[in-house]
């Protein structure tokens, strides 16, 4: 690991705070992750054994094949002309390559469709271009110019990488213990300098408009998980998640399609879920900005709300384990296992276990489907609480 450039990014953030005061956590995160010179995703391949973390598409090609089969099924029942393919945050391009592998045999219309990749990292764009040599790639920095045509796609571990803000609850009247939570205020949890180092500091109180936006008041859906209002409890808000979900929902509502959203998270507000990982190990959030991956737990209820306002619906989330098993990953692994030698078979079953079992990714990771409005529940989502998706 090179120490100097990381020092530089840290010093640049400290200088900015020295100049103009504490900054939003989202500002810190977008600088640490996406700064054009020293941001985490701009400069490296973070995936796999030698990287900082391993995603499901990097565990096994079966993951992408199952997603590809699922989308081929959705496209077939939709029966639409001119489908387009989209992936948000394609990483190394492995998931798209594995989906295309299936489509070339089973869904020729998807195999020849334009592939829209939403990716900000020039480094990863190069890896994706190399990995998908025969695809008609269209790169996007954001979702402002999606085609006015049906859209089928996937976002795996994309939303967790978007910058979040946090607020912290401070009890202002400590004597009213019987009414804990009533006498408090939500303050922005900003990034400032404490003893010469980056650290969290309390900022201004959330405004009335911010209370609405963060889902703390008003008619927005009752959170599946109650908001904790003990002193010092923390809530998160991901401004980009709502706007990106809405931008993705618009063409799907208008022209049809379906997009899988797969991530660790839950169906409600997530508390303090920000984490930093370097070299497969948790590290301090402020330790060498730009050298560690920063991510948070995705609040699927916030995505559902944005999707609903945009005229589409979010089906699920269900657990990744339930989704993959219901669409037949075990059977597909057995078929693949029969064609492999003993070592190969062991590797296939170990990979499936990692993706579906509760001790690994199977429960923490959730799968949701952004789809046009309607009532049907597609394969894979049988465990969905049907009242939630509408
Ligand atoms: N889907 C891949 C990679 C997940 S990592 C996999 O499962 O292996 C997150 C990906 O999102 C990276 O490709 C990263 O460069 C991209 N990304 C992160 N923030 C982004 C943003 N704001 N806009 C576009 N792409 C972003």
């Amino acid at each position: 690991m090179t120490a100097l450039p990381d020092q530089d990014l840290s010093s640049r953030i400290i200088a900015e705070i020295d100049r103009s005061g504490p900054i939003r956590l989202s500002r810190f995160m977008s600088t640490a992750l996406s700064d054009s010179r020293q941001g985490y995703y701009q400069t490296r391949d973070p995936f796999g054994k030698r990287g900082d973390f391993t995603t499901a598409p990097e565990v096994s090609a079966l993951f992408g094949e199952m997603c590809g089969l699922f989308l081929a099924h959705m496209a077939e029942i939709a029966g639409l002309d001119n489908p387009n393919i989209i992936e948000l945050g394609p990483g190394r391009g492995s998931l798209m390559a594995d989906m295309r592998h299936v489509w070339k045999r089973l869904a020729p219309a998807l195999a020849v469709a334009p592939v829209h990749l939403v990716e900000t990292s020039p480094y990863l764009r190069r890896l994706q271009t190399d990995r998908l040599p025969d695809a008609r790639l269209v790169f996007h920095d954001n979702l402002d110019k999606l085609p006015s045509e049906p859209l089928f796609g996937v976002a795996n571990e994309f939303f967790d990488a978007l910058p979040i803000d946090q607020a912290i609850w401070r009890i202002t009247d400590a004597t009213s213990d019987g009414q804990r939570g009533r006498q408090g205020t939500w303050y922005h949890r900003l990034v400032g300098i404490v003893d010469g180092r980056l650290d969290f500091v309390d900022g201004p109180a959330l405004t009335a408009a911010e209370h609405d936006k963060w889902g703390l008041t008003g008619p927005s859906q009752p959170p599946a998980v109650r908001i904790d209002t003990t002193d010092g409890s923390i809530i998160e808000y991901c401004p980009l998640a709502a706007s990106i979900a809405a931008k993705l929902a618009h063409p799907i509502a208008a022209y049809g399609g379906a997009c899988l959203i797969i991530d660790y998270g839950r169906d409600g507000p997530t508390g303090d879920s920000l984490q930093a990982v370097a070299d497969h190990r948790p590290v301090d959030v402020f330790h060498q900005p730009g050298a560690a991956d920063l991510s948070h737990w995705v609040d699927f209820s916030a995505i559902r709300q944005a999707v609903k306002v945009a005229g589409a619906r979010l089906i699920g989330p269900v657990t990744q384990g339930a989704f993959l098993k219901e669409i037949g990953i075990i059977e597909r692994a057995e078929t693949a296992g029969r064609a492999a030698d003993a070592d190969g078979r062991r590797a296939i079953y170990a990979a499936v276990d990692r993706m579906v079992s509760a001790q690994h990714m199977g429960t923490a990771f959730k799968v949701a489907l952004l789809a046009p409005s309607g009532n049907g529940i597609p394969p894979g989502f049988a465990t969905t609480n049907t009242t939630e998706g509408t």
Side-chain angles (χ1 to χ4, degrees):
M1 214 173 289
T2 46
L4 249 187
D6 302 330
Q7 274 309 98
D8 268 1
L9 189 55
S10 188
S11 329
R12 277 167 53 205
I13 297 171
I14 289 178
E16 179 185 342
I17 297 172
D18 264 339
R19 249 191 340 266
S20 38
I23 55 173
R24 288 280 174 98
L25 178 57
S26 55
R27 161 94 190 140
F28 169 79
M29 283 181 74
S30 57
T31 307
L33 291 176
S34 306
D35 178 79
S36 58
R37 277 190 294 137
Q38 293 161 329
Y40 179 76
Y41 281 114
Q42 312 301 308
T43 52
R44 71 195 70 216
D45 172 3
F47 312 104
K49 277 211 183 69
R50 269 171 295 129
D52 292 322
F53 56 92
T54 306
T55 57
E58 302 302 332
V59 169
S60 164
L62 275 177
F63 182 81
E65 289 172 16
M66 298 314 293
C67 293
L69 285 171
F70 175 86
L71 290 173
H73 172 77
M74 294 307 291
E76 191 179 324
I77 54 176
L80 297 163
D81 292 333
N82 304 325
N84 283 245
I85 305 299
I86 186 165
E87 183 170 0
L88 280 62
R92 280 181 179 170
S94 309
L95 173 52
M96 186 55 70
D98 296 332
M99 294 200 300
R100 287 176 52 75
H101 181 68
V102 167
W103 294 338
K104 279 175 193 158
R105 281 177 294 142
L106 297 176
L110 297 186
V112 298
V115 177
H116 300 267
L117 299 181
V118 182
E119 176 59 71
T120 40
S121 157
Y123 183 89
L124 291 176
R125 281 186 181 197
R126 273 197 300 278
L127 291 189
Q128 293 151 15
T129 307
D130 289 347
R131 192 70 209 272
L132 303 163
D134 56 353
R136 294 162 60 194
L137 300 183
V138 186
F139 280 106
H140 297 254
D141 283 324
N142 52 48
L143 285 86
D144 290 344
K145 290 202 186 109
L146 295 185
S148 301
E149 285 177 329
L151 209 48
F152 292 89
V154 64
N156 186 62
E157 292 208 45
F158 169 78
F159 281 90
D160 69 68
L162 299 176
I164 50 162
D165 285 317
Q166 287 187 336
I168 186 160
W169 180 255
R170 298 288 185 201
I171 303 276
T172 41
D173 177 6
T175 56
S176 61
D177 211 21
Q179 300 182 27
R180 263 195 333 181
R182 301 251 176 86
Q183 317 290 320
T185 304
W186 288 111
Y187 293 96
H188 281 281
R189 195 172 188 230
L190 302 177
V191 178
I193 301 167
V194 178
D195 297 333
R197 294 216 201 126
L198 293 171
D199 206 344
F200 286 111
V201 296
D202 285 9
L206 262 63
T207 62
E210 283 166 342
H211 275 83
D212 286 346
K213 221 164 51 182
W214 291 48
L216 295 166
T217 52
S220 70
Q221 289 189 315
V225 182
R226 277 200 70 73
I227 292 171
D228 176 11
T229 47
T230 46
D231 192 39
S233 86
I234 289 165
I235 49 163
E236 295 178 342
Y237 174 68
C238 182
L240 269 180
S243 69
I244 287 177
K247 284 178 186 169
L248 187 58
H250 280 127
I252 291 179
Y255 309 103
C259 187
L260 285 165
I261 298 176
I262 307 170
D263 229 307
Y264 42 89
R266 62 181 182 183
D267 203 10
T270 46
D272 181 12
S273 75
L274 179 63
Q275 58 186 28
V277 171
D279 205 10
H280 295 267
R281 268 191 291 274
V283 294
D284 185 82
V285 168
F286 300 119
H287 172 78
Q288 294 196 325
D293 178 48
L294 298 174
S295 67
H296 70 283
W297 278 56
V298 172
D299 174 358
F300 282 91
S301 69
I303 294 180
R304 177 184 304 112
Q305 187 63 21
V307 161
K308 202 167 151 181
V309 171
R313 69 176 171 144
L314 194 76
I315 304 171
V318 297
T319 65
Q320 176 171 296
F323 174 76
L324 290 175
K325 282 194 271 189
E326 205 186 309
I327 63 170
I329 196 168
I330 306 289
E331 292 77 359
R332 204 170 165 85
E334 280 165 358
T335 309
R338 275 196 290 277
D341 62 12
D343 280 352
R345 248 189 315 279
R346 260 196 298 280
I348 291 168
Y349 292 142
V352 171
D353 183 61
R354 197 155 163 201
M355 292 186 284
V356 306
S357 76
Q359 307 91 288
H360 300 292
M361 306 176 97
T363 308
F365 280 76
K366 310 287 188 296
V367 182
L369 184 71
L370 203 172
S373 57
N375 299 312
I377 299 292
F381 291 92
T383 53
T384 294
N385 173 353
T386 46
T387 58
E388 268 175 12
T390 52

